[in-house]
Amino acid sequence: MASNQLPGATVLASSGAASGLAFAPSALGPPTAGGAVAKEAAGSVGLRGAAKGLGEEPAHSAVEGHAGLALLAAGLAGCSALRGASRRSSATARPMAAKRRPTAVTRTGTARQAVATIARTEAEVGQKLHGWTCERIEELEELKCTGVLWRHDKTGAELISVEQPLEENKTFGVVFRTPPEDSNGIAHVLEHSVLCGSRKYPVKEPFTELLKGSMQTFLNAMTFPDRTCYPVASCNLQDFYNLVDVYLDAVLHPRALKDPRVLAQEGWHYEIEDKSEPLTFKGVVFNEMKGVYSNPDSVQSRTLLNNLLPDTPYGVDSGGDPKEIPNLTFEYFKGFHERFYHPSNAKFWFYGDDPPARRLELLDEFLRDFEKKEVTSEIAKQPLWVEPRAVEHAFAVGKDEDISKKSMACVSWVMSDDKPDLEMSIALGIMDYCLMGTPGAPLRKALTDSGLGSRVIGGGLYDGLVQPTFSVGLKDIKESDAKAVEELVMKTLTAVAADGFEPEAVEAALNKIEFENRELNTGGFPRGLSLMFAAVQNWNYGKDPFEGLRFEAPLRALREKLVEKKEPLLEDLLRKRILENTHRLVVTSKPDVEEGPRVEAAEKERLEQHRATLSEADIQGLIDATKELKELQETPDQPEALATVPRLELDDIPKESKKIPTELGRLGAAEVLKHPLLTSGVVYVDLAFNLRDVPSHLLTLVPLFCRGLREMGTKSSDFVQLQRRIDLSTGGISTAPLISAKRDSDEPMAYLMMRGKAMEAKVPSLMDLMAEIATGVTWENKDRFLQLARESQAAGRSQLLSAGHVVAAGRLGRQLTVAGWASEQISGLSQFEAVGQLIELAEKDWPKVESQLRELQACIFKSACVVNLTADADVLPRLDSHVETFLGHLPDGAATSPFWVPEYSTTSEGIVVPSQVNYVGKAANLYKEADYKLHGSAVVTSRLLGTTWLWDKVRVVGGAYGGFCNFDVRSGDFKYLSYRDPNLQQTLDAYDGTAEFLRSMEFNDDMLAKSIIGTMGDVDQHQLPDAKGYTALQRHLLGETDEMRQEMRDQILGTTADDMRSFADALEAVKSGSVCVVGGEDAIQGASESLGLKVTSPFAAS
């Protein structure tokens, strides 16, 4: 996951639209952007503003192998909304704020906003139906739909049933309050375990069976610091009911309560196969959390949360501390489920166009077996301190690292003794955005300009828990500067409170929040689940769940107070909630080269001490238990058990590919694509500029060039003013490189993507701003550029520590194709190393760097670009004049240079980082090495391997957090990868056994159908209008026609068992492919000779 993971929040799995990429879509869907998020401007936002913050966002995924690289690189979009404004910048590291979350609401691909009337319910307050009583009906004006609160008569369970007949992406979720008592990881382990078989579905892992054969758009389970959530989504009604049925049976009647081996597999167990071997700990969650605790950002954020709210459930780690997880017993495991996984402690959610009455009936079929029970699960509030506190802790670094500037300091507050009401929450969000939401916001700018550290951390405001918090600090500081960071924060906040917020900044924040909420865009995350998380942010704490779904009235009231009456509301809040607030905590995080060895030695000593207490019979018992568990893991489920897991039929899958309406034309030298889609007045503009004229030696500079375009300022506005103008007039502007292989071509597709969005009336301003950025950016500010470079360097370091599989995939890909080489230059280890060299060069010879940036600008921005417009049909014709004006600002010309010709070298690598786990990769190009001819069955087969062989061998048996493969149909690259893996050679052996597994596998009709259906679920991902338009642009740039897509679809649907077995011949080539391992020094050095690894240590002091 992303480096800035949240304390305690965990995710079991993710698939489908949650990540925008799962299994095969990397092969069939649009490519992902390199270096930055190309979709930034049109990405997800929060209801009433950005979703971010302390302890809320799911930070880990147990089934990441099935979610593909995009999920693991970018982080799962998973939770609730914050009442504030969004901020999107790779400059902001947020150990407490974590990854960008989807928002509370989004547009659907249908005409939701085109309908002015509210979809009303037939329910009535007091009505009794299917064992439920209607308690409340709310017309949700902002969403143009109706929400109904029902209470189950027999158990007291609550249900919010939102009836939205225009939403085809149906969503369901159940939420249990699960406050942990210690850091043994019980809530997290249980979240994994309940999906390992149940009363109705007596298979080892019905979750993976659903992954194999569902059209789901979301399938997940999440552990938060105080609750556990089980959400699903699908556009297919029968598939949706299947998902709901399996999940309900799983959470209420799990096999895990009767079989201790589930806890052993998912949580922890002693492992030993021979008396001559040492005793070890194994378990999926155990190894997952060892990976989490190897990341300094994660350790810092958990330390902060635990100490900021120590007298609450947040004082312990709900995800589990690896030192404490082995204390979790089976009896405690069962007792926790009995206490909290009861309907009386449950909150259910439905949203979409499924029949409302059937929701009640379906739930009652499960709940009628239970009686009402008193459940003590209220979340305790933290009493506020009368004086500030301070905490110090150590984190592990490599023995060769320069630790002179590797400390972190963060200042945090608990802002009130209760959860604030809606208007106050939005006001706090506006204050937060004005302080930290943009690079030029005063608090963020002061910290960045100070030169004390490399990157702002903390995330600012977060109100997703029982009390709101505010956190801010710096990473990569001198240990002696921790006090200076605290003093700078207090000094800056004091000055802002005295001088007041700039009126234009406040209005820009309000405009941004209002745009985001009217646009209602959650990106690839199902809108209904975003709404559920928004409701749960209140519902979980006994507050009004419907309040979280509104924004119109409070925004209107705040605009009157802040803009029209100019009341000092924000300044008063700043003084009261922060400056005069004595519940303040300073966390100082210090690097320690002995911490990693100390942790490993303590674990080894603990195991040795335990073994010393065991008799020979006891040891033999553990050997037998290890053998029994492995036999269970490797024994296939019986066909009759597998048949109980419901699935769709192949006949339910549409035979024809979905087409995106596209009109092709030209304006001057530019090619123009137009997509008439229902966007409710929002205009999405994508501009593609060819990168082929970029010299190969400047390619590593492109990501920082893209950041500089938005954050260096222009001839008419410094970067503070520029961001403010963007917020006042648009929904955002982003720039990022996009590189992909093309089918049947050695040349890559390589573009700089500039993306923006605005309401139609503001399109002239949007196009003017985009032209100003492209042609008027100023590169003279050396200090500002170095700030951006150091932030990028810090982000690269975090990626190496927390997303080593992504780094390994890039290093392998760079050896195989031009596109792979170029992608690694802008987003992998090469980029990390290049940024370090660039910082040194800029400090010594800034004119040379400035000249290179100007050279990039001259060779990229030319009028012969591609313009992509997505808007309502009646709006599109009115956009031509604005596009022509924009093009008139660009120099004439087109990119004509030949593409880069890198020198390939086949090398196996070991990349040493301070980590307790490994990320193991192996790859080859099947087109070149195996002379494989593409057939759609390869996509089906690759997906099957991820849910069978690799799942079983790497994750279930091996104990890794994820094991998966990826076949890129464009390039021919086939990659095996593992995630948070305790093993190395054992994992490589599993990879090498894949071909034989395929040859010997007995395919039946059910298995084949599941594999095809699941693949088609990836292919037919649910998309919002802006995503459809952007996907069409990418297909156009790649030269992928509707006919090509239909041919691939036909091949997928027609896949046979023989097709899948024949793919084994191609996979033989991967046995002799290159290996790349990112991991701890002992593991890599131990395998370096046998694997022929070229060992490097990117963090070693030069």
Side-chain angles (χ1 to χ4, degrees):
M1 301 297 286
S3 63
N4 38 3
Q5 290 168 333
L6 285 212
T10 59
V11 178
L12 169 65
S14 177
S15 184
S19 64
L21 191 67
F23 301 105
S26 56
L28 298 176
T32 54
V37 182
K39 226 182 148 180
E40 185 173 356
S44 59
V45 298
L47 182 63
R48 303 183 297 281
K52 64 172 182 64
L54 172 68
E56 174 70 20
E57 184 172 3
H60 334 293
S61 173
V63 195
E64 284 159 332
H66 304 289
L69 290 181
L71 169 63
L72 297 178
L76 171 70
C79 283
S80 61
L82 176 74
R83 292 86 165 169
S86 76
R87 42 180 179 264
R88 283 188 167 271
S89 170
S90 56
T92 316
R94 299 183 187 133
M96 294 180 66
K99 304 157 288 296
R100 176 85 176 163
R101 283 196 299 276
T103 68
V105 282
T106 184
R107 296 173 343 283
T108 68
T110 57
R112 195 188 67 81
Q113 284 102 335
V115 179
T117 59
I118 297 175
R120 289 184 168 82
T121 181
E122 295 181 358
E124 298 179 355
V125 174
Q127 177 185 4
K128 290 188 175 292
L129 184 64
H130 298 305
W132 296 82
T133 299
C134 176
E135 293 194 341
R136 183 177 170 191
I137 297 174
E138 286 288 320
E139 292 185 354
L140 303 172
E141 175 66 33
E142 289 87 343
L143 307 176
K144 297 292 183 275
C145 61
T146 302
V148 184
L149 177 64
W150 296 85
R151 187 174 298 277
H152 192 246
D153 297 334
K154 194 173 181 184
T155 64
E158 292 181 305
L159 162 68
I160 290 181
S161 176
V162 182
E163 301 173 19
Q164 178 49 279
L166 295 174
E167 176 61 81
E168 66 173 350
N169 197 13
K170 292 160 276 289
T171 55
F172 163 81
V174 55
V175 181
F176 300 98
R177 276 201 298 235
T178 51
E181 298 168 324
D182 55 35
S183 296
N184 63 13
I186 174 59
H188 185 189
V189 174
L190 192 57
E191 169 223 300
H192 280 240
S193 300
V194 298
L195 295 176
C196 292
S198 64
R199 179 184 62 181
K200 290 177 65 176
Y201 305 108
V203 296
K204 289 183 294 183
E205 301 196 65
F207 180 84
T208 59
E209 297 305 314
L210 291 176
L211 281 173
K212 292 175 188 176
S214 169
M215 294 286 287
Q216 49 81 21
T217 56
F218 195 86
L219 189 63
N220 211 318
M222 306 168 182
T223 301
F224 295 82
D226 57 17
R227 58 192 182 272
T228 308
C229 306
Y230 295 87
V232 300
S234 179
C235 293
N236 182 287
L237 182 60
Q238 186 55 55
D239 189 45
F240 179 62
Y241 286 150
N242 293 345
L243 298 174
V244 172
D245 197 74
V246 172
Y247 262 47
L248 285 173
D249 201 59
V251 298
L252 296 175
H253 305 288
R255 174 177 71 95
L257 301 183
K258 297 179 180 179
D259 191 344
R261 294 173 299 182
V262 176
L263 170 60
Q265 173 182 290
E266 297 300 320
W268 77 278
H269 64 275
Y270 291 112
E271 182 157 303
I272 182 171
E273 297 188 73
D274 187 89
K275 291 183 179 181
S276 63
E277 296 177 352
L279 198 63
T280 61
F281 288 128
K282 283 289 181 72
V284 173
V285 169
F286 177 78
N287 287 319
E288 171 192 353
M289 298 311 295
K290 288 186 76 171
V292 170
Y293 275 73
S294 295
N295 182 353
D297 291 343
S298 180
V299 175
Q300 187 267 355
S301 66
R302 283 169 161 75
T303 302
L304 197 162
L305 177 66
N306 298 160
N307 287 277
L308 184 63
L309 299 144
D311 304 314
T312 73
Y314 315 127
V316 298
D317 189 347
S318 66
D321 184 331
K323 296 189 297 292
E324 300 296 328
I325 290 172
N327 297 329
L328 176 58
T329 67
F330 185 58
E331 291 306 314
Y332 189 85
F333 175 84
K334 291 191 298 180
F336 196 88
H337 183 277
E338 182 181 354
R339 287 165 59 195
F340 297 121
Y341 277 62
H342 189 279
S344 299
N345 189 44
K347 292 171 173 57
F348 296 96
W349 170 275
F350 275 97
Y351 174 91
D353 64 0
D354 54 304
R358 177 57 183 148
R359 300 169 176 176
L360 306 175
E361 185 179 21
L362 190 155
L363 287 174
D364 184 59
E365 290 171 2
F366 282 90
L367 304 191
R368 66 178 62 153
D369 294 338
F370 293 84
E371 300 294 335
K372 188 172 183 179
K373 173 183 175 181
E374 291 298 322
V375 180
T376 303
S377 63
E378 289 73 18
I379 309 303
K381 298 181 180 67
Q382 173 65 47
L384 299 185
W385 304 333
V386 296
E387 59 183 22
R389 299 180 185 180
V391 172
E392 295 182 354
H393 73 99
F395 62 85
V397 291
K399 65 180 182 181
D400 297 327
E401 288 191 55
D402 178 0
I403 62 173
S404 59
K405 285 194 71 174
K406 281 292 183 290
S407 294
M408 292 180 266
C410 195
V411 190
S412 302
W413 291 262
V414 174
M415 301 181 77
S416 71
D417 57 6
D418 201 353
K419 182 173 280 293
D421 64 22
L422 178 59
E423 186 174 321
M424 179 57 66
S425 291
I426 298 178
L428 290 172
I430 295 169
M431 180 190 74
D432 172 58
Y433 187 78
C434 290
L435 287 171
M436 291 185 60
T438 67
L443 182 54
R444 181 167 155 190
K445 187 175 186 296
L447 288 165
T448 304
D449 289 350
S450 71
L452 293 171
S454 69
R455 198 175 187 191
V456 176
I457 60 175
L461 173 71
Y462 182 65
D463 67 350
L465 302 178
V466 71
Q467 291 160 274
T469 63
F470 187 92
S471 301
V472 64
L474 279 172
K475 71 181 300 183
D476 294 336
I477 65 170
K478 295 178 181 178
E479 182 181 329
S480 59
D481 283 338
K483 186 64 177 177
V485 171
E486 180 185 7
E487 291 173 350
L488 178 58
V489 169
M490 299 303 293
K491 177 182 176 182
T492 304
L493 293 175
T494 300
V496 172
D499 299 339
F501 289 95
E502 295 184 36
E504 193 177 50
V506 174
E507 187 169 359
L510 275 163
N511 286 348
K512 185 170 184 63
I513 294 170
E514 188 168 2
F515 180 94
E516 292 178 338
N517 285 286
R518 296 198 187 287
E519 185 205 13
L520 304 176
N521 190 335
T522 57
F525 193 77
R527 166 174 152 244
L529 294 184
S530 290
L531 288 168
M532 181 186 81
F533 288 123
V536 167
Q537 270 195 176
N538 273 4
W539 205 5
N540 196 57
Y541 310 110
K543 305 291 184 180
D544 180 4
F546 293 108
E547 182 185 69
L549 309 180
R550 304 189 184 283
F551 64 87
E552 291 277 9
L555 270 180
R556 188 165 53 247
L558 286 169
R559 184 174 290 277
E560 179 182 359
K561 294 175 182 178
L562 296 172
V563 178
E564 298 172 16
K565 296 182 178 179
K566 301 190 183 306
E567 295 180 7
L569 173 63
L570 302 184
E571 293 81 359
D572 291 344
L573 286 176
L574 178 55
R575 280 187 286 268
K576 179 180 178 182
R577 301 299 180 112
I578 296 182
L579 290 172
E580 298 169 3
N581 182 356
T582 53
H583 193 112
R584 182 170 82 241
L585 174 72
V586 178
V587 174
T588 304
S589 309
K590 301 179 180 181
D592 186 346
V593 294
E594 300 299 327
E595 178 67 10
R598 186 184 302 123
V599 170
E600 292 181 10
E603 180 181 314
K604 182 179 179 181
E605 182 182 5
R606 178 178 182 176
L607 287 163
E608 289 174 347
Q609 289 179 348
H610 179 70
R611 179 164 181 159
T613 67
L614 302 177
S615 65
E616 287 295 311
D618 293 333
I619 294 174
Q620 185 59 49
L622 289 179
I623 293 173
D624 293 341
T626 299
K627 180 180 180 181
E628 179 186 1
L629 180 60
K630 288 186 181 292
E631 288 177 349
L632 171 71
Q633 293 167 334
E634 295 176 345
T635 302
D637 289 305
Q638 293 299 311
E640 56 270 23
L642 289 171
T644 64
V645 181
R647 66 166 174 85
L648 297 175
E649 299 296 330
L650 283 175
D651 290 342
D652 296 324
I653 310 301
K655 301 299 185 288
E656 300 295 322
S657 292
K658 297 178 181 178
K659 294 180 174 63
I660 299 170
T662 303
E663 303 167 3
L664 294 174
R666 300 196 73 86
L667 285 173
E671 192 173 17
V672 180
L673 286 71
K674 296 180 179 179
H675 311 288
L677 295 166
L678 292 164
T679 64
S680 302
V682 181
V683 176
Y684 299 94
V685 180
D686 309 309
L687 306 171
F689 298 94
N690 207 311
L691 291 177
R692 67 186 305 150
D693 277 352
V694 173
S696 59
H697 71 280
L698 292 183
L699 195 55
T700 54
L701 186 55
V702 169
L704 272 171
F705 171 81
C706 288
R707 277 204 66 190
L709 288 171
R710 296 175 291 119
E711 297 189 38
M712 289 289 289
T714 65
K715 295 172 183 176
S716 60
S717 299
D718 63 26
F719 72 92
V720 178
Q721 296 165 335
L722 178 64
Q723 184 60 56
R724 195 167 295 166
R725 289 169 58 201
I726 290 171
D727 286 349
L728 282 168
S729 299
T730 79
I733 296 173
S734 69
T735 51
L738 178 67
I739 296 177
S740 172
K742 297 173 67 175
R743 284 175 60 178
D744 303 321
S745 174
D746 291 332
E747 289 193 347
M749 179 268 281
Y751 287 85
L752 184 149
M753 308 301 297
M754 181 179 289
R755 309 190 65 201
K757 57 186 176 180
M759 302 305 293
E760 182 189 0
K762 295 292 186 178
V763 169
S765 297
L766 172 66
M767 301 306 296
D768 287 346
L769 283 163
M770 296 175 92
E772 183 177 332
I773 288 170
T775 63
V777 62
T778 57
W779 300 108
E780 293 84 3
N781 192 337
K782 170 186 172 181
D783 292 339
R784 177 60 182 158
F785 186 82
L786 281 170
Q787 289 172 355
L788 301 181
R790 292 189 178 104
E791 289 171 351
S792 177
Q793 187 179 45
R797 176 187 171 87
S798 294
Q799 183 190 51
L800 280 161
L801 290 170
S802 63
H805 58 298
V806 178
V807 175
R811 297 300 285 180
L812 294 167
R814 73 191 295 267
Q815 305 178 33
L816 303 174
T817 63
V818 177
W821 171 83
S823 295
E824 207 271 338
Q825 293 290 299
I826 65 171
S827 62
L829 179 59
S830 293
Q831 170 67 194
F832 176 74
E833 294 171 338
V835 170
Q837 296 164 5
L838 180 66
I839 291 171
E840 292 182 8
L841 178 61
E843 290 173 334
K844 296 176 181 177
D845 189 358
W846 172 246
K848 183 174 182 179
V849 175
E850 185 179 345
S851 175
Q852 291 176 340
L853 291 165
R854 295 187 188 282
E855 183 180 354
L856 280 177
Q857 187 177 0
C859 67
I860 292 174
F861 291 115
K862 299 176 181 178
S863 60
C865 59
V866 183
V867 179
N868 192 62
L869 304 172
T870 304
D872 294 312
D874 62 325
V875 172
L876 285 170
R878 298 194 288 268
L879 302 179
D880 287 357
S881 61
H882 307 309
V883 174
E884 288 176 325
T885 300
F886 167 81
L887 295 172
H889 291 287
L890 299 178
D892 293 334
T896 58
S897 301
F899 269 112
W900 318 290
V901 184
E903 294 183 6
Y904 299 117
S905 60
T906 303
T907 306
S908 289
E909 292 184 278
I911 301 170
V912 175
V913 297
S915 175
Q916 301 177 56
V917 291
N918 304 311
Y919 305 85
V920 183
K922 191 170 187 177
N925 187 283
L926 302 189
Y927 297 162
K928 297 176 182 178
E929 303 301 324
D931 197 29
Y932 178 71
K933 306 301 179 186
L934 177 63
H935 188 272
S937 59
V939 182
V940 182
T941 309
S942 298
R943 195 181 196 283
L944 173 77
L945 292 173
T947 55
T948 53
W949 175 255
L950 295 173
W951 172 273
D952 292 337
K953 288 294 182 180
V954 179
R955 182 189 185 279
V956 175
V957 177
Y961 198 21
F964 48 103
C965 61
N966 181 281
F967 178 52
D968 186 336
V969 301
R970 298 184 179 102
S971 68
D973 292 354
F974 187 95
K975 300 171 185 173
Y976 296 110
L977 295 162
S978 70
Y979 184 69
R980 293 178 181 164
D981 191 345
N983 308 304
L984 199 164
Q985 186 60 57
Q986 179 179 326
T987 298
L988 291 171
D989 292 342
Y991 295 163
D992 289 346
T994 304
E996 184 56 36
F997 163 78
L998 265 183
R999 291 193 184 99
S1000 61
M1001 189 170 186
E1002 296 182 5
F1003 292 93
N1004 56 42
D1005 291 344
D1006 181 70
M1007 180 184 301
L1008 190 59
K1010 282 181 179 177
S1011 300
I1012 294 172
I1013 292 167
T1015 303
M1016 293 310 303
D1018 297 335
V1019 173
D1020 291 341
Q1021 293 178 31
H1022 182 72
Q1023 289 187 310
L1024 303 179
D1026 64 304
K1028 290 179 181 179
Y1030 190 57
T1031 296
L1033 168 65
Q1034 292 175 310
R1035 289 172 182 166
H1036 177 76
L1037 298 176
L1038 289 162
E1040 296 178 357
T1041 65
D1042 287 338
E1043 290 74 22
M1044 294 169 64
R1045 293 176 52 246
Q1046 185 61 51
E1047 180 183 24
M1048 178 66 73
R1049 187 183 193 87
D1050 293 342
Q1051 292 173 356
I1052 290 172
L1053 290 171
T1055 294
T1056 66
D1058 288 342
D1059 290 332
M1060 299 177 82
R1061 290 193 190 94
S1062 68
F1063 193 59
D1065 296 335
L1067 292 182
E1068 290 289 345
V1070 191
K1071 287 184 178 180
S1072 56
S1074 297
V1075 170
C1076 183
V1077 182
V1078 178
E1081 182 176 14
D1082 290 347
I1084 287 178
Q1085 292 292 357
S1088 61
E1089 184 174 349
S1090 61
L1091 296 176
L1093 300 179
K1094 177 184 177 182
V1095 179
T1096 59
S1097 182
F1099 298 155
S1102 56

